[in-house]
Amino acid sequence: MNIPFLGNWRKKHGLAVGVAVFSDGDSDPEGVAELLSECELLRSQAHQAGVELDDSAASLEALDQLLPRWRDDEESLPWLGNDAGLYLGTVIVRTVPGATWEIWSNGQPVVRLTSGREIDVVASGHAWASSGAPELSQLYAEVAEG
């Protein structure tokens, strides 16, 4: 199906990978942070495994220790990867001084550090969900160090 305005929109914004967030131009950082922190599938999986996701670095370590039973479910794997990345970003934003959510023009949420470095946490979450590497806690430690 050929939809001309869609092609023009994609040329302008590019494609987001996994998750896209768009707004009408009014920025509500707290609302965006709250939305991105939901991670329902990941929280449900963790809860079933007895892990509480309390937005701490320790919870990332606990996630890294889970048996990756989700890898057998090709349908939920991408969603879990999105959630893992968004949860990693949530922990970084809530615990690393000066870290904030940034939304690229294509809708891709990333975490921006005070140094200006931007971290594509969603891509990291997908890598973790599909292969276990890099570990979420390892990524967090690298970011928190500086």
Side-chain angles (χ1 to χ4, degrees), residues 28-67:
D28 176 12
E30 291 178 19
V32 170
E34 187 67 30
L35 175 68
L36 296 176
S37 71
E38 288 182 3
C39 314
E40 288 182 37
L41 180 60
L42 181 69
R43 289 182 189 278
S44 171
Q45 295 259 345
H47 180 74
Q48 290 174 4
V51 173
E52 181 185 347
L53 299 185
D54 60 0
D55 301 344
S56 69
S59 66
L60 293 172
E61 292 173 13
L63 282 173
D64 288 336
Q65 301 304 313
L66 291 179
L67 289 175

PDB file of all heavy atoms in Angstrom, residues 28-67:
ATOM      1  N   ASP A  28       6.703  16.902  28.771  1.00  0.00           N
ATOM      2  CA  ASP A  28       6.355  16.563  30.148  1.00  0.00           C
ATOM      3  C   ASP A  28       7.329  15.472  30.593  1.00  0.00           C
ATOM      4  O   ASP A  28       7.019  14.288  30.521  1.00  0.00           O
ATOM      5  CB  ASP A  28       4.904  16.069  30.219  1.00  0.00           C
ATOM      6  CG  ASP A  28       4.500  15.616  31.615  1.00  0.00           C
ATOM      7  OD1 ASP A  28       5.254  15.882  32.580  1.00  0.00           O
ATOM      8  OD2 ASP A  28       3.440  14.980  31.741  1.00  0.00           O
ATOM      9  N   PRO A  29       8.547  15.854  31.014  1.00  0.00           N
ATOM     10  CA  PRO A  29       9.570  14.859  31.358  1.00  0.00           C
ATOM     11  C   PRO A  29       9.114  13.848  32.408  1.00  0.00           C
ATOM     12  O   PRO A  29       9.434  12.670  32.311  1.00  0.00           O
ATOM     13  CB  PRO A  29      10.733  15.700  31.884  1.00  0.00           C
ATOM     14  CG  PRO A  29      10.504  17.069  31.359  1.00  0.00           C
ATOM     15  CD  PRO A  29       9.025  17.213  31.196  1.00  0.00           C
ATOM     16  N   GLU A  30       8.375  14.300  33.413  1.00  0.00           N
ATOM     17  CA  GLU A  30       7.915  13.372  34.451  1.00  0.00           C
ATOM     18  C   GLU A  30       6.912  12.374  33.889  1.00  0.00           C
ATOM     19  O   GLU A  30       6.933  11.199  34.244  1.00  0.00           O
ATOM     20  CB  GLU A  30       7.317  14.142  35.619  1.00  0.00           C
ATOM     21  CG  GLU A  30       8.357  14.915  36.405  1.00  0.00           C
ATOM     22  CD  GLU A  30       7.747  15.723  37.541  1.00  0.00           C
ATOM     23  OE1 GLU A  30       6.606  15.441  37.958  1.00  0.00           O
ATOM     24  OE2 GLU A  30       8.418  16.652  38.005  1.00  0.00           O
ATOM     25  N   GLY A  31       6.023  12.846  33.026  1.00  0.00           N
ATOM     26  CA  GLY A  31       5.040  11.963  32.408  1.00  0.00           C
ATOM     27  C   GLY A  31       5.702  10.936  31.503  1.00  0.00           C
ATOM     28  O   GLY A  31       5.329   9.755  31.500  1.00  0.00           O
ATOM     29  N   VAL A  32       6.694  11.369  30.732  1.00  0.00           N
ATOM     30  CA  VAL A  32       7.431  10.451  29.862  1.00  0.00           C
ATOM     31  C   VAL A  32       8.166   9.421  30.711  1.00  0.00           C
ATOM     32  O   VAL A  32       8.128   8.221  30.429  1.00  0.00           O
ATOM     33  CB  VAL A  32       8.410  11.216  28.939  1.00  0.00           C
ATOM     34  CG1 VAL A  32       9.347  10.265  28.218  1.00  0.00           C
ATOM     35  CG2 VAL A  32       7.643  12.058  27.935  1.00  0.00           C
ATOM     36  N   ALA A  33       8.833   9.872  31.765  1.00  0.00           N
ATOM     37  CA  ALA A  33       9.562   8.952  32.646  1.00  0.00           C
ATOM     38  C   ALA A  33       8.621   7.928  33.266  1.00  0.00           C
ATOM     39  O   ALA A  33       8.949   6.746  33.363  1.00  0.00           O
ATOM     40  CB  ALA A  33      10.299   9.735  33.734  1.00  0.00           C
ATOM     41  N   GLU A  34       7.446   8.380  33.676  1.00  0.00           N
ATOM     42  CA  GLU A  34       6.459   7.465  34.271  1.00  0.00           C
ATOM     43  C   GLU A  34       5.986   6.434  33.248  1.00  0.00           C
ATOM     44  O   GLU A  34       5.888   5.244  33.538  1.00  0.00           O
ATOM     45  CB  GLU A  34       5.271   8.259  34.819  1.00  0.00           C
ATOM     46  CG  GLU A  34       4.290   7.436  35.601  1.00  0.00           C
ATOM     47  CD  GLU A  34       4.874   6.898  36.907  1.00  0.00           C
ATOM     48  OE1 GLU A  34       5.754   7.547  37.487  1.00  0.00           O
ATOM     49  OE2 GLU A  34       4.439   5.810  37.325  1.00  0.00           O
ATOM     50  N   LEU A  35       5.716   6.884  32.041  1.00  0.00           N
ATOM     51  CA  LEU A  35       5.271   5.988  30.969  1.00  0.00           C
ATOM     52  C   LEU A  35       6.343   4.949  30.649  1.00  0.00           C
ATOM     53  O   LEU A  35       6.055   3.752  30.545  1.00  0.00           O
ATOM     54  CB  LEU A  35       4.932   6.796  29.715  1.00  0.00           C
ATOM     55  CG  LEU A  35       4.568   5.997  28.473  1.00  0.00           C
ATOM     56  CD1 LEU A  35       3.236   5.290  28.673  1.00  0.00           C
ATOM     57  CD2 LEU A  35       4.516   6.899  27.259  1.00  0.00           C
ATOM     58  N   LEU A  36       7.580   5.402  30.514  1.00  0.00           N
ATOM     59  CA  LEU A  36       8.664   4.498  30.154  1.00  0.00           C
ATOM     60  C   LEU A  36       9.016   3.524  31.277  1.00  0.00           C
ATOM     61  O   LEU A  36       9.603   2.479  31.025  1.00  0.00           O
ATOM     62  CB  LEU A  36       9.897   5.299  29.732  1.00  0.00           C
ATOM     63  CG  LEU A  36       9.716   6.139  28.464  1.00  0.00           C
ATOM     64  CD1 LEU A  36      10.968   6.969  28.202  1.00  0.00           C
ATOM     65  CD2 LEU A  36       9.379   5.276  27.260  1.00  0.00           C
ATOM     66  N   SER A  37       8.662   3.833  32.503  1.00  0.00           N
ATOM     67  CA  SER A  37       9.019   2.968  33.635  1.00  0.00           C
ATOM     68  C   SER A  37       8.023   1.831  33.877  1.00  0.00           C
ATOM     69  O   SER A  37       8.259   0.986  34.728  1.00  0.00           O
ATOM     70  CB  SER A  37       9.152   3.797  34.915  1.00  0.00           C
ATOM     71  OG  SER A  37       7.879   4.238  35.352  1.00  0.00           O
ATOM     72  N   GLU A  38       6.918   1.791  33.128  1.00  0.00           N
ATOM     73  CA  GLU A  38       5.894   0.772  33.391  1.00  0.00           C
ATOM     74  C   GLU A  38       6.414  -0.649  33.198  1.00  0.00           C
ATOM     75  O   GLU A  38       6.282  -1.473  34.085  1.00  0.00           O
ATOM     76  CB  GLU A  38       4.659   1.030  32.533  1.00  0.00           C
ATOM     77  CG  GLU A  38       3.889   2.237  32.999  1.00  0.00           C
ATOM     78  CD  GLU A  38       2.640   2.492  32.189  1.00  0.00           C
ATOM     79  OE1 GLU A  38       2.320   1.697  31.282  1.00  0.00           O
ATOM     80  OE2 GLU A  38       1.979   3.505  32.467  1.00  0.00           O
ATOM     81  N   CYS A  39       6.953  -0.978  32.056  1.00  0.00           N
ATOM     82  CA  CYS A  39       7.607  -2.271  31.794  1.00  0.00           C
ATOM     83  C   CYS A  39       6.794  -3.462  32.309  1.00  0.00           C
ATOM     84  O   CYS A  39       7.320  -4.329  33.019  1.00  0.00           O
ATOM     85  CB  CYS A  39       8.991  -2.302  32.421  1.00  0.00           C
ATOM     86  SG  CYS A  39      10.001  -0.854  32.136  1.00  0.00           S
ATOM     87  N   GLU A  40       5.526  -3.521  31.958  1.00  0.00           N
ATOM     88  CA  GLU A  40       4.606  -4.510  32.535  1.00  0.00           C
ATOM     89  C   GLU A  40       5.034  -5.953  32.333  1.00  0.00           C
ATOM     90  O   GLU A  40       4.968  -6.758  33.266  1.00  0.00           O
ATOM     91  CB  GLU A  40       3.203  -4.302  31.977  1.00  0.00           C
ATOM     92  CG  GLU A  40       2.528  -3.064  32.504  1.00  0.00           C
ATOM     93  CD  GLU A  40       1.116  -2.916  31.980  1.00  0.00           C
ATOM     94  OE1 GLU A  40       0.418  -3.930  31.832  1.00  0.00           O
ATOM     95  OE2 GLU A  40       0.722  -1.774  31.708  1.00  0.00           O
ATOM     96  N   LEU A  41       5.468  -6.316  31.129  1.00  0.00           N
ATOM     97  CA  LEU A  41       5.839  -7.704  30.871  1.00  0.00           C
ATOM     98  C   LEU A  41       7.043  -8.111  31.713  1.00  0.00           C
ATOM     99  O   LEU A  41       7.041  -9.170  32.344  1.00  0.00           O
ATOM    100  CB  LEU A  41       6.121  -7.926  29.384  1.00  0.00           C
ATOM    101  CG  LEU A  41       6.525  -9.346  28.989  1.00  0.00           C
ATOM    102  CD1 LEU A  41       5.436 -10.355  29.351  1.00  0.00           C
ATOM    103  CD2 LEU A  41       6.844  -9.406  27.500  1.00  0.00           C
ATOM    104  N   LEU A  42       8.052  -7.265  31.741  1.00  0.00           N
ATOM    105  CA  LEU A  42       9.248  -7.575  32.532  1.00  0.00           C
ATOM    106  C   LEU A  42       8.903  -7.668  34.009  1.00  0.00           C
ATOM    107  O   LEU A  42       9.341  -8.586  34.707  1.00  0.00           O
ATOM    108  CB  LEU A  42      10.325  -6.512  32.311  1.00  0.00           C
ATOM    109  CG  LEU A  42      11.632  -6.758  33.071  1.00  0.00           C
ATOM    110  CD1 LEU A  42      12.365  -7.967  32.503  1.00  0.00           C
ATOM    111  CD2 LEU A  42      12.511  -5.519  33.008  1.00  0.00           C
ATOM    112  N   ARG A  43       8.111  -6.736  34.501  1.00  0.00           N
ATOM    113  CA  ARG A  43       7.740  -6.755  35.920  1.00  0.00           C
ATOM    114  C   ARG A  43       6.948  -8.023  36.250  1.00  0.00           C
ATOM    115  O   ARG A  43       7.135  -8.624  37.303  1.00  0.00           O
ATOM    116  CB  ARG A  43       6.961  -5.498  36.286  1.00  0.00           C
ATOM    117  CG  ARG A  43       7.842  -4.254  36.300  1.00  0.00           C
ATOM    118  CD  ARG A  43       7.071  -3.003  36.712  1.00  0.00           C
ATOM    119  NE  ARG A  43       7.852  -1.794  36.532  1.00  0.00           N
ATOM    120  CZ  ARG A  43       8.758  -1.341  37.382  1.00  0.00           C
ATOM    121  NH1 ARG A  43       8.996  -1.992  38.499  1.00  0.00           N
ATOM    122  NH2 ARG A  43       9.428  -0.231  37.132  1.00  0.00           N
ATOM    123  N   SER A  44       6.076  -8.447  35.345  1.00  0.00           N
ATOM    124  CA  SER A  44       5.293  -9.660  35.556  1.00  0.00           C
ATOM    125  C   SER A  44       6.197 -10.891  35.587  1.00  0.00           C
ATOM    126  O   SER A  44       6.076 -11.740  36.472  1.00  0.00           O
ATOM    127  CB  SER A  44       4.242  -9.792  34.446  1.00  0.00           C
ATOM    128  OG  SER A  44       3.611 -11.034  34.507  1.00  0.00           O
ATOM    129  N   GLN A  45       7.106 -10.993  34.622  1.00  0.00           N
ATOM    130  CA  GLN A  45       8.039 -12.126  34.568  1.00  0.00           C
ATOM    131  C   GLN A  45       8.913 -12.165  35.824  1.00  0.00           C
ATOM    132  O   GLN A  45       9.143 -13.222  36.396  1.00  0.00           O
ATOM    133  CB  GLN A  45       8.928 -12.017  33.323  1.00  0.00           C
ATOM    134  CG  GLN A  45       8.192 -12.124  32.031  1.00  0.00           C
ATOM    135  CD  GLN A  45       8.317 -13.481  31.397  1.00  0.00           C
ATOM    136  OE1 GLN A  45       9.162 -14.275  31.763  1.00  0.00           O
ATOM    137  NE2 GLN A  45       7.447 -13.751  30.444  1.00  0.00           N
ATOM    138  N   ALA A  46       9.412 -11.001  36.217  1.00  0.00           N
ATOM    139  CA  ALA A  46      10.266 -10.939  37.407  1.00  0.00           C
ATOM    140  C   ALA A  46       9.482 -11.338  38.649  1.00  0.00           C
ATOM    141  O   ALA A  46       9.982 -12.109  39.490  1.00  0.00           O
ATOM    142  CB  ALA A  46      10.841  -9.536  37.567  1.00  0.00           C
ATOM    143  N   HIS A  47       8.264 -10.839  38.771  1.00  0.00           N
ATOM    144  CA  HIS A  47       7.424 -11.168  39.930  1.00  0.00           C
ATOM    145  C   HIS A  47       7.181 -12.675  40.016  1.00  0.00           C
ATOM    146  O   HIS A  47       7.260 -13.264  41.111  1.00  0.00           O
ATOM    147  CB  HIS A  47       6.104 -10.406  39.850  1.00  0.00           C
ATOM    148  CG  HIS A  47       5.185 -10.688  40.998  1.00  0.00           C
ATOM    149  ND1 HIS A  47       5.411 -10.185  42.266  1.00  0.00           N
ATOM    150  CD2 HIS A  47       4.055 -11.438  41.079  1.00  0.00           C
ATOM    151  CE1 HIS A  47       4.454 -10.616  43.069  1.00  0.00           C
ATOM    152  NE2 HIS A  47       3.623 -11.371  42.372  1.00  0.00           N
ATOM    153  N   GLN A  48       6.902 -13.295  38.882  1.00  0.00           N
ATOM    154  CA  GLN A  48       6.684 -14.747  38.860  1.00  0.00           C
ATOM    155  C   GLN A  48       7.928 -15.508  39.308  1.00  0.00           C
ATOM    156  O   GLN A  48       7.826 -16.596  39.864  1.00  0.00           O
ATOM    157  CB  GLN A  48       6.274 -15.212  37.465  1.00  0.00           C
ATOM    158  CG  GLN A  48       4.889 -14.775  37.059  1.00  0.00           C
ATOM    159  CD  GLN A  48       4.576 -15.129  35.607  1.00  0.00           C
ATOM    160  OE1 GLN A  48       5.358 -15.758  34.913  1.00  0.00           O
ATOM    161  NE2 GLN A  48       3.415 -14.689  35.152  1.00  0.00           N
ATOM    162  N   ALA A  49       9.099 -14.923  39.075  1.00  0.00           N
ATOM    163  CA  ALA A  49      10.355 -15.561  39.479  1.00  0.00           C
ATOM    164  C   ALA A  49      10.786 -15.144  40.881  1.00  0.00           C
ATOM    165  O   ALA A  49      11.849 -15.529  41.348  1.00  0.00           O
ATOM    166  CB  ALA A  49      11.451 -15.214  38.480  1.00  0.00           C
ATOM    167  N   GLY A  50       9.959 -14.331  41.556  1.00  0.00           N
ATOM    168  CA  GLY A  50      10.274 -13.910  42.917  1.00  0.00           C
ATOM    169  C   GLY A  50      11.222 -12.738  43.011  1.00  0.00           C
ATOM    170  O   GLY A  50      11.824 -12.502  44.061  1.00  0.00           O
ATOM    171  N   VAL A  51      11.371 -11.978  41.921  1.00  0.00           N
ATOM    172  CA  VAL A  51      12.261 -10.822  41.907  1.00  0.00           C
ATOM    173  C   VAL A  51      11.414  -9.554  41.925  1.00  0.00           C
ATOM    174  O   VAL A  51      10.523  -9.390  41.099  1.00  0.00           O
ATOM    175  CB  VAL A  51      13.160 -10.832  40.646  1.00  0.00           C
ATOM    176  CG1 VAL A  51      13.967  -9.553  40.541  1.00  0.00           C
ATOM    177  CG2 VAL A  51      14.065 -12.059  40.654  1.00  0.00           C
ATOM    178  N   GLU A  52      11.707  -8.664  42.871  1.00  0.00           N
ATOM    179  CA  GLU A  52      10.996  -7.394  42.939  1.00  0.00           C
ATOM    180  C   GLU A  52      11.810  -6.328  42.207  1.00  0.00           C
ATOM    181  O   GLU A  52      12.986  -6.139  42.488  1.00  0.00           O
ATOM    182  CB  GLU A  52      10.790  -6.947  44.388  1.00  0.00           C
ATOM    183  CG  GLU A  52      10.026  -5.651  44.475  1.00  0.00           C
ATOM    184  CD  GLU A  52       9.908  -5.129  45.882  1.00  0.00           C
ATOM    185  OE1 GLU A  52      10.196  -5.872  46.834  1.00  0.00           O
ATOM    186  OE2 GLU A  52       9.530  -3.961  46.016  1.00  0.00           O
ATOM    187  N   LEU A  53      11.177  -5.673  41.264  1.00  0.00           N
ATOM    188  CA  LEU A  53      11.838  -4.603  40.533  1.00  0.00           C
ATOM    189  C   LEU A  53      11.530  -3.281  41.228  1.00  0.00           C
ATOM    190  O   LEU A  53      10.462  -2.719  41.075  1.00  0.00           O
ATOM    191  CB  LEU A  53      11.370  -4.586  39.076  1.00  0.00           C
ATOM    192  CG  LEU A  53      11.661  -5.862  38.283  1.00  0.00           C
ATOM    193  CD1 LEU A  53      11.260  -5.691  36.826  1.00  0.00           C
ATOM    194  CD2 LEU A  53      13.118  -6.275  38.400  1.00  0.00           C
ATOM    195  N   ASP A  54      12.498  -2.821  42.023  1.00  0.00           N
ATOM    196  CA  ASP A  54      12.318  -1.621  42.840  1.00  0.00           C
ATOM    197  C   ASP A  54      13.121  -0.434  42.303  1.00  0.00           C
ATOM    198  O   ASP A  54      13.407   0.502  43.031  1.00  0.00           O
ATOM    199  CB  ASP A  54      12.691  -1.914  44.284  1.00  0.00           C
ATOM    200  CG  ASP A  54      14.137  -2.370  44.437  1.00  0.00           C
ATOM    201  OD1 ASP A  54      14.867  -2.453  43.414  1.00  0.00           O
ATOM    202  OD2 ASP A  54      14.550  -2.647  45.573  1.00  0.00           O
ATOM    203  N   ASP A  55      13.497  -0.504  41.032  1.00  0.00           N
ATOM    204  CA  ASP A  55      14.235   0.572  40.363  1.00  0.00           C
ATOM    205  C   ASP A  55      15.615   0.798  40.970  1.00  0.00           C
ATOM    206  O   ASP A  55      16.126   1.914  40.975  1.00  0.00           O
ATOM    207  CB  ASP A  55      13.435   1.878  40.339  1.00  0.00           C
ATOM    208  CG  ASP A  55      12.091   1.741  39.637  1.00  0.00           C
ATOM    209  OD1 ASP A  55      11.906   0.742  38.911  1.00  0.00           O
ATOM    210  OD2 ASP A  55      11.243   2.607  39.808  1.00  0.00           O
ATOM    211  N   SER A  56      16.235  -0.276  41.449  1.00  0.00           N
ATOM    212  CA  SER A  56      17.572  -0.178  42.044  1.00  0.00           C
ATOM    213  C   SER A  56      18.577  -0.970  41.215  1.00  0.00           C
ATOM    214  O   SER A  56      18.213  -1.849  40.424  1.00  0.00           O
ATOM    215  CB  SER A  56      17.562  -0.736  43.469  1.00  0.00           C
ATOM    216  OG  SER A  56      17.371  -2.139  43.425  1.00  0.00           O
ATOM    217  N   ALA A  57      19.852  -0.663  41.423  1.00  0.00           N
ATOM    218  CA  ALA A  57      20.909  -1.408  40.750  1.00  0.00           C
ATOM    219  C   ALA A  57      20.876  -2.882  41.159  1.00  0.00           C
ATOM    220  O   ALA A  57      21.150  -3.769  40.336  1.00  0.00           O
ATOM    221  CB  ALA A  57      22.266  -0.794  41.081  1.00  0.00           C
ATOM    222  N   ALA A  58      20.515  -3.150  42.407  1.00  0.00           N
ATOM    223  CA  ALA A  58      20.435  -4.539  42.875  1.00  0.00           C
ATOM    224  C   ALA A  58      19.378  -5.323  42.099  1.00  0.00           C
ATOM    225  O   ALA A  58      19.550  -6.529  41.836  1.00  0.00           O
ATOM    226  CB  ALA A  58      20.133  -4.576  44.366  1.00  0.00           C
ATOM    227  N   SER A  59      18.296  -4.665  41.694  1.00  0.00           N
ATOM    228  CA  SER A  59      17.264  -5.372  40.932  1.00  0.00           C
ATOM    229  C   SER A  59      17.771  -5.743  39.538  1.00  0.00           C
ATOM    230  O   SER A  59      17.360  -6.747  38.976  1.00  0.00           O
ATOM    231  CB  SER A  59      15.976  -4.555  40.849  1.00  0.00           C
ATOM    232  OG  SER A  59      16.163  -3.379  40.095  1.00  0.00           O
ATOM    233  N   LEU A  60      18.688  -4.952  38.990  1.00  0.00           N
ATOM    234  CA  LEU A  60      19.297  -5.303  37.696  1.00  0.00           C
ATOM    235  C   LEU A  60      20.146  -6.562  37.850  1.00  0.00           C
ATOM    236  O   LEU A  60      20.127  -7.435  36.982  1.00  0.00           O
ATOM    237  CB  LEU A  60      20.150  -4.147  37.170  1.00  0.00           C
ATOM    238  CG  LEU A  60      19.396  -2.880  36.771  1.00  0.00           C
ATOM    239  CD1 LEU A  60      20.372  -1.752  36.446  1.00  0.00           C
ATOM    240  CD2 LEU A  60      18.455  -3.142  35.608  1.00  0.00           C
ATOM    241  N   GLU A  61      20.868  -6.654  38.957  1.00  0.00           N
ATOM    242  CA  GLU A  61      21.657  -7.855  39.224  1.00  0.00           C
ATOM    243  C   GLU A  61      20.751  -9.074  39.354  1.00  0.00           C
ATOM    244  O   GLU A  61      21.072 -10.155  38.849  1.00  0.00           O
ATOM    245  CB  GLU A  61      22.483  -7.675  40.498  1.00  0.00           C
ATOM    246  CG  GLU A  61      23.573  -6.647  40.365  1.00  0.00           C
ATOM    247  CD  GLU A  61      24.285  -6.363  41.688  1.00  0.00           C
ATOM    248  OE1 GLU A  61      24.106  -7.125  42.655  1.00  0.00           O
ATOM    249  OE2 GLU A  61      25.027  -5.365  41.731  1.00  0.00           O
ATOM    250  N   ALA A  62      19.621  -8.905  40.020  1.00  0.00           N
ATOM    251  CA  ALA A  62      18.675 -10.015  40.177  1.00  0.00           C
ATOM    252  C   ALA A  62      18.108 -10.432  38.819  1.00  0.00           C
ATOM    253  O   ALA A  62      17.943 -11.636  38.556  1.00  0.00           O
ATOM    254  CB  ALA A  62      17.544  -9.615  41.132  1.00  0.00           C
ATOM    255  N   LEU A  63      17.825  -9.485  37.950  1.00  0.00           N
ATOM    256  CA  LEU A  63      17.339  -9.825  36.603  1.00  0.00           C
ATOM    257  C   LEU A  63      18.382 -10.616  35.827  1.00  0.00           C
ATOM    258  O   LEU A  63      18.049 -11.570  35.111  1.00  0.00           O
ATOM    259  CB  LEU A  63      16.984  -8.558  35.824  1.00  0.00           C
ATOM    260  CG  LEU A  63      15.667  -7.896  36.150  1.00  0.00           C
ATOM    261  CD1 LEU A  63      15.549  -6.569  35.405  1.00  0.00           C
ATOM    262  CD2 LEU A  63      14.499  -8.807  35.803  1.00  0.00           C
ATOM    263  N   ASP A  64      19.636 -10.231  35.975  1.00  0.00           N
ATOM    264  CA  ASP A  64      20.709 -10.944  35.277  1.00  0.00           C
ATOM    265  C   ASP A  64      20.813 -12.403  35.717  1.00  0.00           C
ATOM    266  O   ASP A  64      21.314 -13.236  34.969  1.00  0.00           O
ATOM    267  CB  ASP A  64      22.056 -10.254  35.517  1.00  0.00           C
ATOM    268  CG  ASP A  64      22.181  -8.933  34.772  1.00  0.00           C
ATOM    269  OD1 ASP A  64      21.487  -8.744  33.751  1.00  0.00           O
ATOM    270  OD2 ASP A  64      22.987  -8.086  35.220  1.00  0.00           O
ATOM    271  N   GLN A  65      20.336 -12.712  36.913  1.00  0.00           N
ATOM    272  CA  GLN A  65      20.428 -14.071  37.450  1.00  0.00           C
ATOM    273  C   GLN A  65      19.243 -14.960  37.067  1.00  0.00           C
ATOM    274  O   GLN A  65      19.273 -16.164  37.311  1.00  0.00           O
ATOM    275  CB  GLN A  65      20.554 -14.024  38.980  1.00  0.00           C
ATOM    276  CG  GLN A  65      21.771 -13.260  39.465  1.00  0.00           C
ATOM    277  CD  GLN A  65      23.070 -13.801  38.892  1.00  0.00           C
ATOM    278  OE1 GLN A  65      23.312 -14.993  38.894  1.00  0.00           O
ATOM    279  NE2 GLN A  65      23.895 -12.904  38.375  1.00  0.00           N
ATOM    280  N   LEU A  66      18.197 -14.376  36.482  1.00  0.00           N
ATOM    281  CA  LEU A  66      17.025 -15.174  36.109  1.00  0.00           C
ATOM    282  C   LEU A  66      17.351 -16.169  35.011  1.00  0.00           C
ATOM    283  O   LEU A  66      18.139 -15.876  34.115  1.00  0.00           O
ATOM    284  CB  LEU A  66      15.893 -14.266  35.616  1.00  0.00           C
ATOM    285  CG  LEU A  66      15.217 -13.369  36.628  1.00  0.00           C
ATOM    286  CD1 LEU A  66      14.146 -12.527  35.935  1.00  0.00           C
ATOM    287  CD2 LEU A  66      14.588 -14.181  37.737  1.00  0.00           C
ATOM    288  N   LEU A  67      16.724 -17.338  35.079  1.00  0.00           N
ATOM    289  CA  LEU A  67      16.833 -18.283  33.975  1.00  0.00           C
ATOM    290  C   LEU A  67      16.055 -17.709  32.793  1.00  0.00           C
ATOM    291  O   LEU A  67      14.891 -17.337  32.946  1.00  0.00           O
ATOM    292  CB  LEU A  67      16.248 -19.643  34.371  1.00  0.00           C
ATOM    293  CG  LEU A  67      17.051 -20.445  35.376  1.00  0.00           C
ATOM    294  CD1 LEU A  67      16.288 -21.704  35.775  1.00  0.00           C
ATOM    295  CD2 LEU A  67      18.402 -20.816  34.796  1.00  0.00           C
TER     296      LEU A  67
END
